[in-house]
Amino acid sequence: MIIVLKDGHENIIDEIKSRFTETNEVFVHNNRVAIQGVSEDDLNAEEKNTIDLIIDNVPAAVQGSRLFHPEDTIVTTPHSQIGGDNFTMMAGPCSVESAEHVMKMAKVAKSGGATVLRGGAFKPRTSPYSFQGLGEDGLKFLRAAADAYDMDVLTEVMDQDHVAMVEQYTDIFQIGARNMQNFSLLKAVGKTQTPVMLKRGMSATIDDILNAAEYIAAGGNHNIIITERGIRTFDNKYTRNTLDVGAVPVLQKLTHYPVILDPSHAAGHTEFVTPEALAGAAVGASGLVVEIHDDPAHAFSDGAQALKPDEYRAMAQQAFAIRQVITTPIQEKSEVKL
Amino acid sequence: MIIVLKDGHENIIDEIKSRFTETNEVFVHNNRVAIQGVSEDDLNAEEKNTIDLIIDNVPAAVQGSRLFHPEDTIVTTPHSQIGGDNFTMMAGPCSVESAEHVMKMAKVAKSGGATVLRGGAFKPRTSPYSFQGLGEDGLKFLRAAADAYDMDVLTEVMDQDHVAMVEQYTDIFQIGARNMQNFSLLKAVGKTQTPVMLKRGMSATIDDILNAAEYIAAGGNHNIIITERGIRTFDNKYTRNTLDVGAVPVLQKLTHYPVILDPSHAAGHTEFVTPEALAGAAVGASGLVVEIHDDPAHAFSDGAQALKPDEYRAMAQQAFAIRQVITTPIQEKSEVKL
Amino acid sequence: MIIVLKDGHENIIDEIKSRFTETNEVFVHNNRVAIQGVSEDDLNAEEKNTIDLIIDNVPAAVQGSRLFHPEDTIVTTPHSQIGGDNFTMMAGPCSVESAEHVMKMAKVAKSGGATVLRGGAFKPRTSPYSFQGLGEDGLKFLRAAADAYDMDVLTEVMDQDHVAMVEQYTDIFQIGARNMQNFSLLKAVGKTQTPVMLKRGMSATIDDILNAAEYIAAGGNHNIIITERGIRTFDNKYTRNTLDVGAVPVLQKLTHYPVILDPSHAAGHTEFVTPEALAGAAVGASGLVVEIHDDPAHAFSDGAQALKPDEYRAMAQQAFAIRQVITTPIQEKSEVKL
Amino acid sequence: MIIVLKDGHENIIDEIKSRFTETNEVFVHNNRVAIQGVSEDDLNAEEKNTIDLIIDNVPAAVQGSRLFHPEDTIVTTPHSQIGGDNFTMMAGPCSVESAEHVMKMAKVAKSGGATVLRGGAFKPRTSPYSFQGLGEDGLKFLRAAADAYDMDVLTEVMDQDHVAMVEQYTDIFQIGARNMQNFSLLKAVGKTQTPVMLKRGMSATIDDILNAAEYIAAGGNHNIIITERGIRTFDNKYTRNTLDVGAVPVLQKLTHYPVILDPSHAAGHTEFVTPEALAGAAVGASGLVVEIHDDPAHAFSDGAQALKPDEYRAMAQQAFAIRQVITTPIQEKSEVKL
């Protein structure tokens, strides 16, 4: 149950909190108090008096819910404001390959309007014998490249024991699709205040994502970004995954966290990345995270889905233009009126 | 195998055709000849001499393939050119409800830029006890409404025995998702020259769609439009289906038929129809087909997913604007060059 | 709503029927009357007096529901009793290939305990250029083979205009997975009294199957057999489809029609057909329908999934033995009691 | 590439190993040597001379492959031999609830023939606010209960930092479906020699499972058991997941590790657990792992899918009987021969 207090009754919050905290989860946001496992009948007369509205049927992932927190969360990093009216471009190589290469890719990323540089130093590979990333060295190269171009760093943390170390280098943790329900890892990043980009698992439902995000929020970290990156369906002959663009407005309705879209892992093949990226801009995502490479054929990982610099800049230009289209108020032309 | 003849050797086509026709399927398009079940070794020396290129690994659905027919097919109806550089809006009520209502909806459809009026007179309903449509009367009302506003008619034919009757009223047959592999029905519309809009089955792969289209083409009807309308996946709690926007560029690469997108059946809820429609415009679809209703709560069918007139016009305006963005050549700004 | 009349009040059925028939669907089974769109409040005092029980929340597919028809339906053919305590083996080639071949296959089928001979004369092929079956000639060969071994014929009807013709040769119509929601075809077989084996569509939910069966029942034909044959999921690298064994007990709970299982189309590869068939016997299916061939490498269709004669007989022997295990009352041994 | 040495040439193994080890992964099993990234051309003349067979197209997960290790792996624990001709019953409560309760459940498990007692002390719950397990206390209760009835302990480890602690209490680690691709956790258990039961992820392909198992094997732990527990598909209205029985024979063909089946999480509802368990026995699984509870309505977790003691024993009796049917050589009766 969420109770919305009447104006001027916020002073009662501490009382309510202390009354229920021992036996129930209690969360407060402005004049809203969420109390789990409690119904209207559990409130006393005085409390009922202070209440403007009672919301039942609250999802388990209450802290992430719009019912509890109606306004958009804006995740703030040194170089970006993610969410709300902003449209954030995040780009970079799949893997950090060398200090020089990631520096070059940072320049490309920046040239397309990106404010966040992505790059993997610890890679979750399907096979244990595939390239597993450069590790901490990679993080150093990535940080240097981002700094050189005044960008934020976004990089994956796969291991709860690496959280403190990775945090030294990154502005945003990425939790990968395979770890979306690695609850120990979610709890570990939940204990920091560094923003977390949580990627949707391959077969995660909308509710699963929101509950995974709640594991982070439950630890006290509310700087959460949710990323749609394609789901597993019955047909992956021509694309690696099925981009679920509909998940973007659905999530935006249910949660206040910014929702961005990763067309690279969804498409899996360069030729389909740009159309899917533009679909993401049109559907209203708060940003895009894309993989770029100047020589995809020799990329250390996932070259098949990397945009080349020119392709990336062309995509970015169109994506920003589409963002403008959908955020410009509709001009109701007189002749179209009935 | 497809053979591409050298310029000036088209005169040999009839010879090749007659040599293989009895035992193999042979198809000709300009200077290309597709012969099924034949390899280079089956050609004689003279034939080999006339050939510019041999394409192996041709899909079974050869007539629909870009390898056989590289140029876009433009499907021409009295009021629309579908495919190529065009962007076609198709709109109307889910069911034709009455002469008056469909007339009103035609006016709305037209006001948003639609050139095609959709409406169901024969409805494929999950339950035998649900409203099954007005039948031929509905077709008459639909035709009158389209004529009043200089629009084309698009309507579903569910029954092979109705093809001739429905053809009297429609400019485009719709084959619904449930009938995508109703081969008798595909053969029946394949014998006409009326354009056919083929909707993707709920779990049809890309190859399944192309093979279904080939059933129509095999009958001699090449006026085919393919429609992505959402697929069935593991999560349908918040949307009715999962819109597979990636299918649009994939299909456009593989086939020359125009590909359009139906956001209404994908989203299933009004609030998600516009974002999904815009994603469809951005991903490069050749048009949209959307359901509209002035009083969704009392629609005879699928009211939950109908756009109201104002919502529809706002969506259409943005969709056309997005189409313009993606078809405008990129302005490579000097400062973004590396 | 379903009303269950008190003993001795069956005489009121005609009255109720006549009162609601004009405006609502009314169905009667023994002392149960299902009336759609009506609630307890619509009954008059006299009617309420005669009622033992009122069942709300009745599914749309009411005639197929156990709530309306609690006892098992036994589908009776000249040589088989399908459903209830019986376990029916159905076997035969994918396609009828010749009079001689199907005769040979009938002998094999019989030798494994089959009482139904399956064989396709009209084949729904993904590509229009694949072998489409021998047509009516194939039906004649199939009938002759079944007659020679005192078996029933099971064969697919794909086209509503063929129903009367196919009915002359078959004891059971098969409706294929691709036509599960071809409502015109369902209505056509629903007007006959010949048993119908309805195969689950590739992505049909349990409710979809029951509604499709209801189209047949709505026409007056209640001789329905439902077949689970594998569904489409994200992994079909090693099997053609994913056999959903759980669907068998789920369907048996919800409907009174017999439920059988087709391991051949699910597995898609001979080596996995027998384990899946045995799983079907163990999960409680009322029978199996399997494809057999003496020379799978040269089968006209689907050779990869055909069991050879010896494999088939071994499978059948184990399947009957497993059926016996699950239908034998449990021997509660004293030492396992707590 | 896998090379199979001729008899008597095993002495060359160390030479080959030392020649490639620095640059390639090299694995040896009896007279087989797998070398990744190497082809026949990389062998010298002497080496070629010693080779009986070269196997190309080896999967990345080579140590788990039958091509590399043709014989069944038998996982040996104090009270069980898992794999090969054995059929192992594993049963217990979803969560360890108290010392008394798990002791009672151990008695029930044993009475049905189980040699492994399962129970969760650390629970991966979708919501952070759900019961998360009793932790190390739970492990102590579980161990005591198993010891009292001479059974093995099977329990989930969710956190790489708990591996050493959990190992003190368990005979078999369980890796849950959500952690199937938590590579840090897989590496952690791969460094132990304690058997690992790896559950299939909700949308893991067969190849994904084998690659996940390879992460464990790559660390040196080859005591691996794979568990099919239902996958996520488009229909979960009546069952929690879709049990993929076909995965059992597929995995048994591809890998030498034992494959067992968990009907409880697949079915999700008690009434469907027994049929799915029997299907698992019939399809050839090396064992079953099932949840039991004496008072499901008050279970701490997943009560809806727990078998009651009597249901469990009845199921177990039938499962063992079915196992006997499928492992008894076929009696080819003379009359069924053609």
Side-chain angles (χ1 to χ4, degrees):
Chain A
M1 182 183 69
I2 293 171
I3 58 179
V4 185
L5 297 170
K6 290 182 190 161
D7 277 358
H9 286 76
E10 291 80 359
N11 61 318
I12 205 174
I13 287 179
D14 282 346
E15 240 171 275
I16 296 177
K17 224 172 140 174
S18 68
R19 199 159 78 79
F20 290 103
T21 283
E22 232 167 279
T23 49
N24 302 77
E25 300 279 353
V26 182
F27 307 105
V28 177
H29 174 70
N30 296 340
N31 65 335
R32 290 178 187 236
V33 185
I35 320 171
Q36 295 213 321
V38 161
S39 75
E40 193 172 350
D41 297 345
D42 299 304
L43 300 179
N44 59 37
E46 193 203 339
E47 287 164 348
K48 284 184 189 171
N49 250 344
T50 66
I51 291 170
D52 191 34
L53 181 72
I54 289 185
I55 304 172
D56 285 326
N57 296 321
V58 175
V62 65
Q63 294 194 72
S65 168
R66 288 256 184 217
L67 298 173
F68 173 67
H69 183 307
E71 326 80 46
D72 286 345
T73 281
I74 314 282
V75 173
T76 301
T77 57
H79 304 284
S80 315
Q81 298 276 102
I82 304 165
D85 293 336
N86 309 291
F87 186 73
T88 305
M89 187 66 67
M90 310 181 181
C94 179
S95 293
V96 177
E97 301 185 358
S98 69
E100 297 68 32
H101 185 260
V102 71
M103 187 63 76
K104 200 169 162 190
M105 290 303 98
K107 188 175 180 188
V108 172
K110 183 81 175 187
S111 75
T115 56
V116 178
L117 179 66
R118 62 143 291 150
F122 295 91
K123 302 295 304 171
R125 305 305 298 278
T126 302
S127 167
Y129 311 125
S130 298
F131 173 65
Q132 309 266 320
L134 295 184
E136 190 166 357
D137 280 348
L139 293 177
K140 288 177 184 167
F141 304 155
L142 182 63
R143 179 75 265 169
D147 287 347
Y149 290 95
D150 294 326
M151 298 170 81
D152 298 315
V153 162
L154 163 67
T155 199
E156 177 157 358
V157 59
M158 285 176 57
D159 188 315
Q160 66 206 68
D161 298 337
H162 291 175
V163 166
M165 184 268 287
V166 174
E167 198 178 20
Q168 297 172 44
Y169 301 98
T170 200
D171 299 295
I172 310 172
F173 287 121
Q174 177 178 307
I175 302 290
R178 292 176 182 83
N179 279 319
M180 197 199 82
Q181 291 190 315
N182 176 345
F183 299 128
S184 297
L185 181 59
L186 296 176
K187 286 176 182 172
V189 296
K191 283 181 201 139
T192 76
Q193 285 302 312
T194 297
V196 180
M197 192 186 91
L198 177 66
K199 297 187 84 172
R200 181 182 190 178
M202 283 186 207
S203 64
T205 62
I206 296 292
D207 289 346
D208 286 341
I209 308 169
L210 296 174
N211 278 303
E214 195 78 2
Y215 265 93
I216 302 169
N221 186 348
H222 302 285
N223 298 306
I224 299 170
I225 304 158
I226 295 176
T227 301
E228 159 60 29
R229 44 76 75 203
I231 56 173
R232 208 160 235 185
T233 67
F234 58 83
D235 196 4
N236 58 3
K237 181 167 174 182
Y238 300 104
T239 55
R240 184 169 172 181
N241 291 288
T242 299
L243 183 68
D244 179 9
V245 285
V248 175
V250 167
L251 283 165
Q252 288 172 333
K253 182 190 175 188
L254 298 174
T255 186
H256 49 90
Y257 302 129
V259 181
I260 68 167
L261 190 139
D262 169 357
S264 305
H265 285 84
H269 302 278
T270 307
E271 59 195 325
F272 307 129
V273 171
T274 290
E276 294 200 353
L278 301 183
V283 89
S286 289
L288 297 173
V289 53
V290 294
E291 293 187 354
I292 57 176
H293 205 282
D294 54 333
D295 183 11
H298 297 97
F300 285 19
S301 58
D302 283 352
Q305 70 196 31
L307 289 179
K308 284 195 244 182
D310 283 356
E311 294 167 337
Y312 157 68
R313 280 188 295 264
M315 177 282 290
Q317 191 175 314
Q318 292 189 319
F320 282 110
I322 288 173
R323 176 70 181 181
Q324 200 165 353
V325 167
I326 66 164
T327 52
T328 301
I330 301 296
Q331 304 285 329
E332 183 78 38
K333 284 175 290 179
S334 58
E335 72 262 41
V336 301
K337 287 213 172 132
L338 278 188
Chain B
M1 183 182 70
I2 293 171
I3 57 179
V4 185
L5 296 170
K6 290 180 188 163
D7 277 358
H9 287 77
E10 291 80 358
N11 61 319
I12 205 174
I13 288 178
D14 283 346
E15 241 170 90
I16 296 176
K17 222 172 142 174
S18 68
R19 199 158 80 78
F20 289 103
T21 284
E22 234 167 279
T23 48
N24 303 77
E25 299 280 353
V26 183
F27 306 105
V28 177
H29 175 69
N30 296 340
N31 66 334
R32 289 175 188 238
V33 185
I35 320 172
Q36 295 212 322
V38 161
S39 75
E40 193 172 351
D41 297 345
D42 299 304
L43 300 179
N44 59 38
E46 195 202 337
E47 288 164 348
K48 284 184 188 169
N49 250 344
T50 65
I51 291 171
D52 190 35
L53 181 71
I54 288 184
I55 304 172
D56 286 326
N57 296 321
V58 175
V62 64
Q63 295 194 73
S65 169
R66 287 254 185 219
L67 299 172
F68 174 66
H69 183 307
E71 325 80 46
D72 286 347
T73 282
I74 313 283
V75 173
T76 301
T77 58
H79 303 287
S80 315
Q81 298 276 101
I82 304 164
D85 294 335
N86 310 291
F87 186 73
T88 306
M89 187 63 69
M90 310 182 181
C94 179
S95 294
V96 177
E97 301 185 357
S98 69
E100 296 67 33
H101 184 261
V102 71
M103 186 63 78
K104 200 170 163 190
M105 290 303 97
K107 189 176 179 186
V108 172
K110 183 80 176 188
S111 74
T115 56
V116 178
L117 180 66
R118 64 143 290 151
F122 295 92
K123 302 296 304 170
R125 305 305 298 278
T126 301
S127 166
Y129 312 125
S130 298
F131 172 64
Q132 309 266 318
L134 295 184
E136 190 167 356
D137 280 349
L139 293 177
K140 288 177 185 168
F141 304 156
L142 181 63
R143 180 76 264 170
D147 287 347
Y149 290 96
D150 294 326
M151 298 170 83
D152 298 315
V153 162
L154 163 67
T155 199
E156 177 157 358
V157 60
M158 285 175 56
D159 188 313
Q160 66 207 68
D161 298 337
H162 291 174
V163 167
M165 183 269 286
V166 174
E167 198 178 18
Q168 296 172 45
Y169 300 100
T170 200
D171 299 294
I172 310 172
F173 287 121
Q174 176 178 307
I175 302 289
R178 292 176 183 82
N179 278 318
M180 197 200 82
Q181 291 191 314
N182 176 345
F183 299 127
S184 298
L185 180 59
L186 296 176
K187 286 175 181 172
V189 297
K191 284 181 199 137
T192 76
Q193 284 302 312
T194 297
V196 180
M197 191 185 92
L198 177 67
K199 296 187 85 172
R200 181 181 190 177
M202 283 185 207
S203 64
T205 62
I206 297 292
D207 289 346
D208 286 342
I209 308 168
L210 296 174
N211 278 302
E214 195 77 2
Y215 265 92
I216 302 169
N221 186 350
H222 303 285
N223 298 305
I224 299 170
I225 304 157
I226 295 176
T227 301
E228 159 60 29
R229 43 77 75 202
I231 57 172
R232 208 162 234 184
T233 67
F234 57 83
D235 196 4
N236 59 2
K237 180 166 175 183
Y238 300 104
T239 55
R240 184 170 172 182
N241 291 289
T242 299
L243 183 68
D244 180 9
V245 286
V248 175
V250 167
L251 283 164
Q252 287 172 334
K253 182 190 175 189
L254 298 174
T255 186
H256 49 92
Y257 303 128
V259 181
I260 68 168
L261 191 139
D262 169 357
S264 306
H265 285 83
H269 302 278
T270 307
E271 58 196 324
F272 306 129
V273 172
T274 291
E276 294 201 354
L278 301 183
V283 89
S286 288
L288 297 172
V289 54
V290 294
E291 293 186 354
I292 57 177
H293 205 283
D294 54 332
D295 183 11
H298 296 97
F300 285 20
S301 57
D302 283 351
Q305 69 197 33
L307 290 179
K308 285 196 244 183
D310 283 354
E311 294 167 337
Y312 158 67
R313 281 189 294 264
M315 176 281 289
Q317 190 177 314
Q318 292 189 319
F320 281 111
I322 287 173
R323 177 70 181 180
Q324 201 165 350
V325 168
I326 67 165
T327 53
T328 301
I330 301 296
Q331 305 284 331
E332 183 78 38
K333 285 176 290 179
S334 58
E335 72 262 42
V336 301
K337 287 211 172 136
L338 279 189
Chain C
M1 182 182 72
I2 293 172
I3 56 178
V4 185
L5 296 171
K6 290 180 190 164
D7 278 356
H9 287 77
E10 291 80 0
N11 62 317
I12 206 174
I13 287 180
D14 282 345
E15 241 172 274
I16 296 176
K17 221 171 144 175
S18 69
R19 198 159 79 79
F20 289 103
T21 284
E22 232 167 280
T23 48
N24 301 77
E25 299 280 355
V26 182
F27 307 104
V28 177
H29 175 69
N30 295 339
N31 66 333
R32 289 176 188 238
V33 186
I35 320 171
Q36 296 213 320
V38 162
S39 74
E40 191 171 351
D41 296 345
D42 298 303
L43 300 179
N44 58 38
E46 194 204 338
E47 287 164 349
K48 284 184 191 172
N49 250 342
T50 65
I51 291 170
D52 189 37
L53 180 72
I54 289 185
I55 304 172
D56 285 327
N57 296 320
V58 175
V62 64
Q63 296 194 72
S65 169
R66 287 253 185 219
L67 300 172
F68 173 66
H69 183 308
E71 326 80 46
D72 286 346
T73 282
I74 313 283
V75 173
T76 301
T77 57
H79 303 284
S80 315
Q81 297 277 100
I82 304 165
D85 293 334
N86 310 290
F87 186 73
T88 305
M89 187 64 68
M90 309 182 182
C94 179
S95 293
V96 177
E97 302 186 358
S98 69
E100 295 69 33
H101 184 260
V102 72
M103 187 63 76
K104 201 170 162 189
M105 290 303 98
K107 189 176 178 188
V108 172
K110 183 79 176 189
S111 74
T115 56
V116 178
L117 179 67
R118 63 143 291 149
F122 295 93
K123 301 296 305 170
R125 305 305 297 278
T126 302
S127 165
Y129 312 126
S130 299
F131 172 64
Q132 310 266 318
L134 295 183
E136 191 167 356
D137 279 350
L139 294 177
K140 289 177 184 167
F141 304 156
L142 182 63
R143 180 75 264 167
D147 288 347
Y149 291 95
D150 294 326
M151 298 170 82
D152 297 315
V153 162
L154 162 68
T155 199
E156 178 157 357
V157 59
M158 285 175 57
D159 188 312
Q160 66 206 70
D161 298 338
H162 291 174
V163 167
M165 184 268 286
V166 174
E167 198 179 17
Q168 297 171 45
Y169 302 99
T170 200
D171 299 295
I172 310 172
F173 286 121
Q174 177 177 307
I175 302 290
R178 293 177 183 83
N179 278 320
M180 196 201 81
Q181 290 191 315
N182 176 344
F183 299 127
S184 297
L185 180 59
L186 297 176
K187 286 175 181 172
V189 297
K191 284 180 199 138
T192 75
Q193 284 303 312
T194 297
V196 180
M197 191 185 92
L198 178 67
K199 296 187 84 172
R200 181 181 189 177
M202 283 186 208
S203 64
T205 62
I206 296 293
D207 289 347
D208 286 342
I209 308 169
L210 295 175
N211 279 302
E214 195 77 2
Y215 266 92
I216 302 168
N221 186 349
H222 302 286
N223 298 305
I224 299 171
I225 303 157
I226 296 177
T227 302
E228 159 61 30
R229 44 75 76 203
I231 56 173
R232 209 162 233 184
T233 68
F234 57 83
D235 196 3
N236 59 2
K237 181 167 174 182
Y238 300 104
T239 55
R240 186 170 172 182
N241 291 288
T242 299
L243 183 67
D244 179 10
V245 286
V248 175
V250 168
L251 284 164
Q252 287 172 333
K253 181 189 176 189
L254 299 173
T255 186
H256 50 91
Y257 302 129
V259 181
I260 67 168
L261 191 140
D262 169 357
S264 305
H265 285 84
H269 301 278
T270 307
E271 59 196 322
F272 306 129
V273 171
T274 291
E276 295 201 354
L278 301 184
V283 89
S286 289
L288 298 172
V289 54
V290 295
E291 293 186 355
I292 57 176
H293 205 283
D294 53 332
D295 183 11
H298 297 96
F300 284 21
S301 58
D302 283 350
Q305 71 196 33
L307 290 179
K308 284 196 245 183
D310 282 355
E311 294 167 336
Y312 157 68
R313 280 189 294 262
M315 177 282 289
Q317 191 176 314
Q318 291 189 318
F320 282 110
I322 288 173
R323 176 71 181 179
Q324 201 166 350
V325 167
I326 66 165
T327 52
T328 301
I330 300 296
Q331 304 285 330
E332 185 76 41
K333 284 175 291 179
S334 58
E335 71 263 43
V336 301
K337 288 211 173 137
L338 279 188
Chain D
M1 183 181 70
I2 293 170
I3 57 179
V4 185
L5 295 171
K6 290 182 190 160
D7 277 357
H9 287 76
E10 291 80 359
N11 61 318
I12 205 171
I13 287 179
D14 282 345
E15 240 170 273
I16 297 177
K17 223 172 142 177
S18 68
R19 199 158 79 77
F20 290 103
T21 284
E22 231 167 281
T23 49
N24 302 77
E25 299 279 354
V26 182
F27 306 105
V28 177
H29 175 69
N30 295 341
N31 65 333
R32 292 178 186 237
V33 185
I35 321 171
Q36 294 213 321
V38 162
S39 75
E40 192 172 350
D41 297 345
D42 298 305
L43 300 179
N44 59 38
E46 194 204 339
E47 287 163 348
K48 283 183 190 172
N49 250 344
T50 64
I51 291 171
D52 189 36
L53 181 71
I54 289 184
I55 304 172
D56 286 325
N57 296 319
V58 174
V62 64
Q63 295 193 73
S65 169
R66 287 255 185 217
L67 299 173
F68 174 66
H69 183 307
E71 326 78 47
D72 287 346
T73 282
I74 313 282
V75 173
T76 301
T77 57
H79 303 285
S80 315
Q81 298 277 99
I82 304 164
D85 294 335
N86 310 290
F87 186 73
T88 305
M89 187 63 68
M90 309 182 182
C94 180
S95 293
V96 177
E97 303 185 357
S98 69
E100 295 68 33
H101 185 260
V102 71
M103 187 63 76
K104 201 169 162 191
M105 289 303 99
K107 187 175 180 189
V108 173
K110 182 81 174 188
S111 75
T115 55
V116 179
L117 179 67
R118 63 143 292 150
F122 295 91
K123 302 296 304 170
R125 306 305 297 276
T126 301
S127 166
Y129 312 125
S130 299
F131 172 63
Q132 310 267 319
L134 296 184
E136 191 167 355
D137 278 349
L139 294 177
K140 288 176 184 168
F141 303 154
L142 182 63
R143 179 75 265 169
D147 287 346
Y149 291 94
D150 293 326
M151 298 171 81
D152 298 314
V153 162
L154 163 67
T155 199
E156 177 157 357
V157 59
M158 286 175 57
D159 189 313
Q160 66 206 66
D161 299 338
H162 291 174
V163 167
M165 183 269 285
V166 174
E167 198 179 17
Q168 297 172 43
Y169 301 98
T170 200
D171 300 293
I172 310 172
F173 286 122
Q174 177 177 307
I175 302 291
R178 293 176 182 83
N179 279 319
M180 196 200 81
Q181 291 190 315
N182 176 345
F183 298 128
S184 298
L185 180 59
L186 297 177
K187 285 176 182 172
V189 296
K191 283 181 201 138
T192 76
Q193 285 303 312
T194 296
V196 181
M197 192 186 90
L198 177 67
K199 297 187 85 172
R200 182 182 189 177
M202 283 187 208
S203 65
T205 62
I206 296 293
D207 289 346
D208 286 342
I209 308 168
L210 295 175
N211 278 302
E214 195 77 3
Y215 266 92
I216 302 168
N221 187 349
H222 302 285
N223 298 305
I224 299 170
I225 303 158
I226 296 176
T227 302
E228 159 61 29
R229 44 74 77 202
I231 56 173
R232 209 161 233 185
T233 68
F234 57 84
D235 196 4
N236 59 2
K237 181 166 174 182
Y238 300 104
T239 54
R240 184 169 172 183
N241 291 288
T242 299
L243 182 68
D244 180 9
V245 285
V248 175
V250 167
L251 283 164
Q252 288 172 333
K253 182 190 174 188
L254 298 173
T255 187
H256 50 91
Y257 302 129
V259 182
I260 68 167
L261 192 140
D262 169 357
S264 305
H265 285 84
H269 301 279
T270 306
E271 58 196 324
F272 307 130
V273 171
T274 291
E276 295 200 352
L278 301 184
V283 88
S286 289
L288 298 173
V289 53
V290 295
E291 294 187 354
I292 57 176
H293 204 284
D294 52 334
D295 183 12
H298 297 97
F300 285 20
S301 58
D302 284 351
Q305 70 197 30
L307 290 179
K308 284 195 245 182
D310 282 355
E311 293 167 337
Y312 157 68
R313 281 190 293 263
M315 177 281 290
Q317 189 175 317
Q318 292 189 320
F320 282 110
I322 288 173
R323 176 71 181 180
Q324 200 165 352
V325 167
I326 67 165
T327 52
T328 301
I330 301 295
Q331 304 285 330
E332 183 77 39
K333 284 175 291 179
S334 57
E335 72 264 43
V336 301
K337 286 214 172 132
L338 279 188

